[in-house]
Amino acid sequence: MTRTVNIGLIGAGTVGGGVVQALKRNGALMASRLGVRLRVTRVAVRSLRKKRDFKVPQSALTTDWREVVNDPKVDLVVELIGGTTTAKDVVLAALRAGKPVVTANKALLAFHGEKLFAAAEKSGANLYYEASVAGGVPIIKVIREALVGNRVTHLYGILNGTCNFILTKMNEGMEFDAAVKLAQQQGYAEADPTLDVGGYDAAHKVGILASLAHGFWVKPKQVYTEGIEQVAPLDLEFADSLGYAIKLLGIVKTSKPGPVQVSMYPALIPDDHVLANVSDVYNGILVRGDVVGDTLHYGQGAGRDATASAVLSDIGDAVLDLKHGSTDRLKAFIPHESNGAVRPIEETTSCYYLRLSVLDRPGVLAKVSAVLAKNKIGISSVIQPEGHEGSSVPLILMLHYAKNAAMQKALKEIRKLSAVKAKPVMIRVENFA
Ligand code: HSE
């Protein structure tokens, strides 16, 4: 007789609702593929009276997550409440009860991953997190399973659907604030959208991917993070005229054994690169393995159904663990690099786009060039739209490879020049070498 796995759902908001609906649509298909029937048995919600666009028997609902986790009938716990406080208690309680857990919670993993995976290891239950990174793109499974025979030397990811949506809309002429509002209306943005536009959400995700790829847990404070707030429509225009797009880009790279760069910042990328064409709410991740070479993974990075699809994928894995009575097939995360370290941003190298607001008068470019030369930074091209003698105009410089430390020092000196009228805007350039 086919076994039934009872699912306890913690949180029935946007993603939780999507999971219930998707299970209704494809539960029978999953059962025939997995050889196990799936049933959502208990659901913890914030309010029993809230109107929902999906059906769960009233008797299954509770406002107390403990009732769900401790229910002996519940075999598997799916945490979809977000945040790092109650969610942490939920995940730890479920794991300690020996129940596998599926979570979509990137902030929780970023901050507490090490502790949670240690708890999973101790309890013998797995903790699955496909939905925490890149929405519907199965990137965790790719790194964990499909590329198990590779060292991941480079990973580049557009990992925040909201920022990518905003940059795409700004490129089409929409104001920043209007684009943020639209992303919120469409259910892409975090409850607090500064988590998106400040780069933090994407930084949590790139930290998770770096941890998985390199076998040691990368903490949020180790991920150098910049958001998209400083990117102006002017930068998108100048980048375009120079043959580049601007994307919020996560980077995990190591050219030789040693510290790994793990960062999240806006970057100019050549507009003929495949990632330059990842638009709107889509995410794209390029993973370079030392055996396979470049692989590309693309899909909707935020939104109800895309994220629900990733949760279902994890439910499938957890169900197979339960069916076969083993969690050892391929663990969700195993630390395997005791000497792993993150390279400080100052020690990383890149090319740069620099936009200055300068007085339009003779000798300004020479002064800026002198500062750059003193810091051993070469100029590869310059754009200076004409203005009026004495007025402020943009001065755009494309700079050769240099250490970030040298660039930061040069920026401080440039800011002090009397002809420079505003804080310089520096955006790194990524050539995917
Ligand atoms: N706010 C996130 C994004 C949701 O826009 O990518 C998916 O994690």
Side-chain angles (χ1 to χ4, degrees), residues 304-328:
R304 183 183 221 196
D305 292 343
T307 313
S309 166
V311 171
L312 293 188
S313 162
D314 278 349
I315 288 177
D317 262 339
V319 158
L320 291 179
D321 288 348
L322 291 166
K323 179 181 172 185
H324 296 291
S326 164
T327 56
D328 286 338

Side-chain angles (χ1 to χ4, degrees), residues 106 159-162 188-190 196 201 205 301-302:
K106 53 257 162 161
L159 294 171
N160 185 272
T162 301
Y188 306 146
E190 298 301 306
D196 294 304
D201 169 86
K205 293 168 181 168

